[in-house]
Amino acid sequence: MTQPPAADRPAPLLGAADIRRLAAELDIRPTKTLGQNFVIDGNTIRRIVGAAQLGEHETVLEVGPGLGSLTLGLLDAAERVVAVEIDPVLAARLPDTVARWRPERAAALDVVLEDALRVTELPHAPTALVANLPYNVAVPVVLNLLERFPSLQRGLVMVQDEVADRLAAPPGSRTYGVPSVKAAWYSSMGKAGMVGMNVFWPAPKIASGLVRFTRREPPVTTATRQEVFAVVDAAFAQRRKTLRAALAGWAGTPVLAEQALRAAGVDPSARGEVLDITAFARIAEARREAADVGAVN
């Protein structure tokens, strides 16, 4: 079969041999503590980048770039990549890897040595999040970044498949819970596919899922995000109980919980798993209004 002209060939990406060579040079082994599972398959990287639907002027935030597998693919598709890496050894090596594999794009990379759960400032405002997230912190990382960086308008994250199901679950489904509701405060989320185990080193024990999201405005409410999230946490802390019982501690008494629920137009005998984010916002608002009236009286 005739090889295509060089200009038409896809840019090279890191393969299994490249990843292992880089790791050996740095004397590192992927750690469970940091949730490190490096992608070793170029076709998977191209699939992720394609599914992210990036515009050419996008500034992409990548969390946990590791040895740079996904970073190279993102630099091929976006205007700029801001990579947040918690491991100082990996963070220090990433610019050299990009300079070797994408010398013409080296200036388009910014590396930030920071924990994604604590990062508050970035050198450029990101418009999209694309990342292979550590399984153990995936949900708080996504929620933290959506809260701290309102410039993020869209994204695609690869997480443990079970976590992907939870993030994308609609009300009433078996996997619907706290991650589903809180994510819905910021964005619409949907599952965009699965990724097998054999494209990682080391191979995880469970498949990964891709979740695509698009930012939207939160529900219109006088309640704060913190107040709404407090209702969500209380409702799912005892998800087998009715909302009247589950929210008793949050409201002060079962009677006050029922009053807030009825004022919000929610059946007190319902359970949290059937409510969407707007219903939780109405409950928080109703309780706040009742508290304000009580304070005046």
Side-chain angles (χ1 to χ4, degrees):
M1 183 175 179
T2 304
Q3 288 289 335
D8 294 337
R9 296 175 192 164
L13 294 168
L14 298 177
D18 303 305
I19 291 293
R20 289 188 170 88
R21 176 182 52 78
L22 280 169
E25 289 177 8
L26 297 173
D27 193 26
I28 63 169
R29 292 282 301 177
T31 68
K32 285 187 177 180
T33 303
L34 297 180
Q36 292 171 328
N37 296 92
F38 302 133
V39 181
I40 58 175
D41 178 63
N43 288 331
T44 299
I45 295 299
R46 294 186 182 95
R47 178 188 167 200
I48 293 170
V49 174
Q53 302 175 346
L54 299 172
E56 60 180 342
H57 299 300
E58 211 90 65
T59 294
V60 178
L61 172 59
E62 182 187 7
V63 173
L67 292 167
S69 304
L70 180 57
T71 311
L72 296 177
L74 293 173
L75 284 168
D76 292 338
E79 183 172 316
R80 176 167 292 278
V81 174
V82 178
V84 175
E85 175 58 62
I86 193 173
D87 187 316
V89 175
L90 294 175
R93 181 56 182 262
L94 187 58
D96 293 337
T97 300
V98 170
R100 176 182 174 186
W101 288 74
R102 296 291 189 280
E104 74 284 0
R105 300 289 290 137
L109 172 70
D110 296 281
V111 180
V112 178
L113 179 60
E114 183 60 274
D115 184 342
L117 288 171
R118 295 181 172 84
V119 64
T120 58
E121 294 184 12
L122 295 172
H124 300 276
T127 58
L129 169 67
V130 184
N132 171 22
L133 293 176
Y135 294 164
N136 56 339
V137 294
V139 171
V141 163
V142 169
L143 296 179
N144 177 63
L145 294 175
L146 284 170
E147 174 63 24
R148 292 187 181 275
F149 301 104
S151 60
L152 282 173
Q153 294 301 306
R154 67 192 61 83
L156 183 89
V157 293
M158 181 162 58
V159 297
Q160 187 178 34
D161 194 46
E162 180 180 320
V163 176
D165 288 339
R166 290 175 182 169
L167 282 170
S173 66
R174 181 178 57 83
T175 52
Y176 187 70
V178 172
S180 326
V181 185
K182 291 185 177 180
W185 173 269
Y186 302 101
S187 64
S188 59
M189 292 207 171
K191 202 165 178 186
M194 291 180 62
V195 178
M197 297 171 278
N198 60 350
V199 301
F200 295 96
W201 175 65
K205 296 181 179 179
I206 190 170
S208 297
L210 299 175
V211 178
R212 185 187 295 117
F213 68 86
T214 303
R215 185 183 286 274
R216 65 185 177 198
E217 291 298 314
V220 177
T221 177
T222 59
T224 66
R225 177 186 61 82
Q226 292 86 347
E227 288 171 335
V228 177
F229 281 14
V231 183
V232 174
D233 289 334
F236 286 96
Q238 304 175 77
R239 63 183 298 154
R240 291 182 178 274
K241 292 189 175 182
T242 66
L243 285 167
R244 184 183 190 276
L247 297 182
W250 163 80
T253 68
V255 172
L256 291 174
E258 180 168 346
Q259 290 174 353
L261 288 162
R262 293 195 181 282
V266 175
D267 182 356
S269 66
R271 289 177 171 77
E273 62 205 47
V274 303
L275 302 187
D276 63 11
I277 185 61
T278 58
F280 282 107
R282 293 199 309 271
I283 296 168
E285 184 172 317
R287 182 70 189 116
R288 168 189 263 237
E289 291 175 352
D292 289 344
V293 170
V296 171
N297 294 336

